[in-house]
C-alpha cells in the first residue's frame, strides 16, 4: 500500500530531524510529553529512523507535579505507540527544589532521559524545543543579565541531547499534528503565570511583536545562534588558559582581555568546587587581579578566593 504523502508542516519537521542527525547517532530516543512539539518530533523521528534503519524508541517522563499526571503520561505513551513506535517507556521521577521549580523539573527529566539512553551504543535523546522556546530562553537570559553564554540559549546538541527543531516555529509542530490527526495535550503549567517562561511567552513576546513588528522571535533565535558561536570560542580559549591548579598567576591574568579573563576565572572557580558562581562573584575575584589594593578575599559558596604574593589562592570551606 502506498504511503500517504507528508503534509508540508510534517515534512518540515522530518527534514529538520534528518538534517540534525550525524553518523554517530546510532540509536534514537524521543522525549515525549504528549504536547504538540514532542508528538510532531516523535512522528518525524519514526519516519527518519525507518528510512535510515535506526532503532528508535520513546520515553515519557512523569514529573508527578500535578494530579492525574500518571494518566497524562499513559495517554502520551499511547499516542506515540499509535505513531508506530512500539517501544515507549513511562518513567516517573521525583522533582527536587534546587534552582526553582522549572530548573528542578528539567534536572530530574534530563537525569531520567540520560538513564534511559544508556547502553551500547548510547541513544541520542531528541528534545522538541522550537524556535519559540529559544526566543523565550534568550529573553530570560537577558533579564537575568548573565552574559553572552546565557543569551546563547539552548544548543542544538549538548552531550547526548539533540534539539533538531530549534529553527522551526511552534506553529509548524502544531500544524504537523493537525496534518497527522493528532490531538496534543495542553500542559496547564504552560499557561500558569507563576512561571517566568510563561509570562515571557504570553505577555512579553506578544508586546514585542506588536511594538516592533513580526519576526521578533526569529530574530531572538538568530541572536542566540550568533552568541553561541562567540561564547563557544571564548570558552575554548578559556579552557586553554586555565592551568587547572589551585592558584592562578595574577600578572598572567591581568594581560588577558576582560571577556577571556572572566571566563578563565569562572572556569577556575567551578573547577575548585565553587557553587552557584554569579557575575558578582566573578567581578569580585577579577578585582583581586585588576584593582588590587590589599582587599580581603571573596567569599563564595564552597570556599574563599584570596590574593597572596601575586597569586589567587582557592581556600575550600571545611566540610563535616
Amino acid at each position: 500500500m502506498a504511503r500517504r504523502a507528508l503534509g508540508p508542516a510534517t515534512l518540515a519537521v522530518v527534514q529538520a530531524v534528518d538534517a540534525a542527525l550525524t553518523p554517530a547517532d546510532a540509536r534514537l530516543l524521543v522525549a515525549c510529553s504528549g504536547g504538540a512539539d514532542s508528538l510532531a518530533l516523535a512522528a518525524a523521528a519514526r519516519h527518519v529512523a525507518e528510512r535510515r534503519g535506526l532503532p528508535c524508541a520513546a520515553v515519557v517522563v512523569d514529573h508527578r507535579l500535578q494530579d492525574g499526571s500518571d494518566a497524562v503520561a499513559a495517554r502520551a505513551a499511547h499516542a506515540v505507540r499509535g505513531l508506530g513506535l512500539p517501544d515507549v517507556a513511562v518513567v516517573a521521577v521525583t522533582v527536587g527544589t534546587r534552582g526553582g521549580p522549572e530548573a528542578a523539573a528539567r534536572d530530574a527529566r534530563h537525569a531520567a532521559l540520560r538513564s534511559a539512553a544508556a547502553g551500547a551504543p548510547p541513544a541520542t535523546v531528541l528534545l522538541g524545543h522550537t524556535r519559540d522556546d529559544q526566543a523565550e530562553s534568550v529573553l530570560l537570559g537577558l533579564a537575568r543579565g548573565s552574559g553572552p553564554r546565557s543569551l546563547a540559549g539552548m544548543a542544538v546538541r549538548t552531550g547526548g541531547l539533540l534539539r533538531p527543531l530549534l529553527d522551526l516555529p511552534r506553529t509548524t509542530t502544531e500544524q504537523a499534528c493537525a496534518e497527522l490527526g493528532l490531538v496534543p495535550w495542553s500542559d496547564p503549567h504552560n499557561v500558569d503565570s507563576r512561571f517566568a517562561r510563561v509570562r515571557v511567552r504570553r505577555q512579553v513576546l506578544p508586546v514585542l511583536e506588536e511594538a516592533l513588528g513580526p519576526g521578533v522571535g526569529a530574530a531572538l533565535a538568530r541572536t542566540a545562534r550568533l552568541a553561541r558561536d562567540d561564547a563557544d570560542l571564548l570558552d575554548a580559549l578559556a579552557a586553554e588558559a586555565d592551568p587547572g591548579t589551585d592558584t592562578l598567576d595574577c600578572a598572567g591574568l591581568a594581560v588577558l582581555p576582560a571577556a577571556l579573563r572572566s571566563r578563565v576565572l569562572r572556569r577556575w572557580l567551578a573547577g575548585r568546587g565553587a557553587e552557584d558562581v554569579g557575575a558578582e562573584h566573578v567581578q569580585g575575584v577579577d578585582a583581586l587581579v585588576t584593582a588590587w589594593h590589599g582587599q580581603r578575599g571573596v567569599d563564595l559558596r564552597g570556599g574563599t578566593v584570596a590574593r597572596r604574593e601575586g597569586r589567587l589562592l582557592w581556600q575550600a570551606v571545611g566540610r563535616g
Side-chain angles (χ1 to χ4, degrees):
M1 179 181 296
R3 290 183 178 274
R4 186 178 66 178
L6 298 177
T10 306
L11 179 60
V13 180
V14 167
Q15 290 173 334
V17 172
D18 194 47
L21 296 179
T22 72
D25 299 311
R27 289 197 299 132
L28 306 182
L29 181 67
V30 183
C32 189
S33 67
D37 300 339
S38 61
L39 281 180
L41 176 63
R46 184 208 62 79
H47 185 93
V48 173
E50 183 178 85
R51 185 169 59 80
R52 290 188 175 216
L54 298 176
C56 185
V59 61
V60 179
V61 177
D62 176 8
H63 298 86
R64 299 190 289 186
L65 294 176
Q66 305 172 40
D67 292 338
S69 65
D70 55 341
V72 171
R75 285 197 299 272
H78 178 74
V80 175
R81 292 187 185 102
L83 293 171
L85 284 176
D87 186 3
V88 183
V90 175
V91 179
V93 298
T94 299
V95 177
T97 58
R98 183 173 179 179
E102 293 174 274
R106 181 182 62 247
D107 290 345
R109 179 169 63 254
H110 284 187
L113 292 172
R114 288 192 169 100
S115 177
T124 299
V125 178
L126 305 185
L127 304 178
H129 297 110
T130 66
R131 190 173 71 192
D132 299 73
D133 296 305
Q134 187 73 297
E136 294 159 12
S137 295
V138 172
L139 284 176
L140 288 168
L142 183 63
R144 288 192 296 265
S146 45
R149 174 51 69 188
S150 184
L151 292 181
M154 296 174 285
V156 172
R157 190 180 291 268
T158 308
L161 305 178
L162 179 64
R163 301 176 178 88
L165 308 185
L166 285 181
D167 285 335
L168 295 181
R170 188 173 292 129
T171 52
T172 298
T173 61
E174 293 170 344
Q175 182 58 38
C177 287
E179 291 171 358
L180 296 166
L182 300 172
V183 180
W185 173 63
S186 296
D187 186 349
H189 282 175
N190 287 338
V191 294
D192 190 337
S193 60
R194 290 178 301 168
F195 300 110
R197 183 173 290 273
V198 173
R199 295 194 297 273
V200 168
R201 179 180 306 158
R202 296 173 62 86
Q203 301 173 31
V204 178
L205 272 171
V207 169
L208 290 175
E209 293 276 357
E210 181 179 354
L212 302 177
V216 170
L220 288 168
R222 186 166 59 252
T223 296
R225 186 164 55 250
L226 295 171
R228 179 165 295 279
D229 289 343
D230 292 349
D232 286 348
L233 173 59
L234 287 168
D235 285 348
L237 294 174
E240 293 178 3
D242 180 3
T245 59
D246 284 343
T247 66
L248 287 178
D249 175 52
C250 292
L253 287 169
V255 299
L256 295 177
L260 179 55
R261 185 172 61 248
S262 66
R263 281 169 170 77
V264 173
L265 291 175
R266 184 181 291 274
R267 177 185 174 87
W268 179 73
L269 291 169
R272 309 283 75 72
E275 301 176 14
D276 301 326
V277 179
E280 69 280 6
H281 300 119
V282 176
Q283 291 170 1
V285 175
D286 187 69
L288 297 178
V289 176
T290 62
W292 173 246
H293 49 78
Q295 66 264 41
R296 64 181 299 276
V298 177
D299 295 325
L300 297 95
R301 183 176 176 183
T304 299
V305 178
R307 177 166 171 157
R308 298 285 186 273
E309 299 179 353
R311 300 188 70 84
L312 295 183
L313 172 66
W314 169 258
Q315 300 170 311
V317 173
R319 299 182 184 275

